[in-house]
Amino acid sequence: MAASRRRPAWAAAHGWRHALDRLSRGWERTAIYIPVLLMGLLALGTYWLVRNTPGSLPSEGQKVISSEPDYYMRKFGIKTFDDAGQLKSDVAGTEVRHYPDTDTLEIDKALIRSYSIEGRLTTSTGDRALTNGDGSEVQLTGNARVVREASVGPDGREVARLEFRGEFLHVFVNDERVKSHLPVVIKRGADEFEGDTFAYDNLDRVADLKGRVKGVLVPRKAIGRVP
């Protein structure tokens, strides 16, 4: 009975061939869809990368510039020199902050000394100063004061000491101009003037005072007069 249940060798071989044929036909049918499956997997992978990859850095032209200070210094002092090595300016203060969006410097308790080509010293002070990137403009706020020391002009004549005081002064360094929309006191030597607004041009030696203007002129002593 056991021998009758044993499958002949040719039947076993035929069964293996049939199984292989079915596997081959199944593989062929599956192979048709492999490119589609691969494309689907590629699309899913691309979508995942897009969702999980951080945004690319903006280009130089698209860079977002912050309005917050990007650096500051405390109890600082900065000196600048011209091409000939002569001292051009000396800036100091309790703290300075740089704002990259406007390229300006904000200085607390500012002390600014600047020297003209002829060597004339001008000193600017204020509770706060705001300067542009190249230092050609300075806005002084709170106890603002600009003093140009006495000097000798190209013609050999003495140039009197000149002082401006107020709560706000806008100084144009290269053009040697000062202006303000607030009341200002001007002292030239012993003379003193006041005005609600003013503009001064040192190159033309003209001061334009407006509003309630008043002044005090001190007579000059006559040369050779015996008191």
Side-chain angles (χ1 to χ4, degrees), residues 128-140:
R128 183 165 296 179
L130 185 67
T131 74
N132 60 350
D134 60 3
S136 61
E137 291 186 35
V138 181
Q139 298 182 51
L140 300 168

Side-chain angles (χ1 to χ4, degrees), residues 7 54 63 73 86 92 95 117 128 130 140 142 150 170 221:
R7 296 181 64 187
K63 185 179 295 184
M73 293 184 290
Q86 298 296 318
E95 182 174 302
I117 298 177
R128 183 165 296 179
L130 185 67
L140 300 168
H170 194 165
K221 292 181 179 181

Side-chain angles (χ1 to χ4, degrees), residues 20-196:
L20 290 174
D21 289 341
R22 290 183 60 187
L23 181 61
S24 178
R25 287 193 299 269
W27 172 253
E28 290 175 356
R29 285 195 299 268
T30 305
I32 296 174
Y33 299 100
I34 286 179
V36 178
L37 293 174
L38 290 176
M39 291 181 65
L41 290 174
L42 181 61
L44 289 174
T46 303
Y47 175 77
W48 183 87
L49 285 174
V50 171
R51 288 293 302 271
N52 293 277
T53 301
S56 59
L57 294 176
S59 62
E60 194 68 25
Q62 299 174 337
K63 185 179 295 184
V64 178
I65 302 178
S66 173
S67 59
E68 297 297 323
D70 57 352
Y71 70 83
Y72 70 92
M73 293 184 290
R74 291 176 178 167
K75 296 181 180 180
F76 74 99
I78 301 174
K79 299 180 187 298
T80 60
F81 300 84
D82 60 19
D83 295 337
Q86 298 296 318
L87 181 62
K88 186 177 180 180
S89 65
D90 182 3
V91 182
T94 57
E95 182 174 302
V96 59
R97 297 169 294 277
H98 178 258
Y99 293 88
D101 58 334
T102 56
D103 190 23
T104 54
L105 292 172
E106 189 177 46
I107 307 170
D108 296 337
K109 300 298 181 183
L111 170 60
I112 304 171
R113 298 185 181 93
S114 58
Y115 299 84
S116 67
I117 298 177
E118 296 80 13
R120 291 195 302 267
L121 171 63
T122 299
T123 303
S124 304
T125 58
D127 293 341
R128 183 165 296 179
L130 185 67
T131 74
N132 60 350
D134 60 3
S136 61
E137 291 186 35
V138 181
Q139 298 182 51
L140 300 168
T141 305
N143 297 311
R145 185 167 173 260
V146 175
V147 177
R148 190 199 64 192
E149 298 298 339
S151 61
V152 178
D155 56 359
R157 299 179 60 183
E158 182 180 354
V159 179
R161 181 181 183 272
L162 188 62
E163 178 181 348
F164 306 102
R165 295 198 315 268
E167 283 303 303
F168 175 80
L169 294 173
H170 194 165
V171 184
F172 299 84
V173 178
N174 295 339
D175 298 333
E176 297 187 35
R177 293 188 296 115
V178 184
K179 70 176 185 179
S180 178
H181 63 288
L182 297 178
V184 171
V185 176
I186 303 175
K187 294 186 69 174
R188 184 181 184 276
D191 301 334
E192 184 173 309
F193 304 89
E194 296 181 24
D196 291 337

Side-chain angles (χ1 to χ4, degrees), residues 10 12-22:
W10 63 268
H14 177 73
W16 278 109
R17 285 196 298 269
H18 181 69
L20 290 174
D21 289 341
R22 290 183 60 187

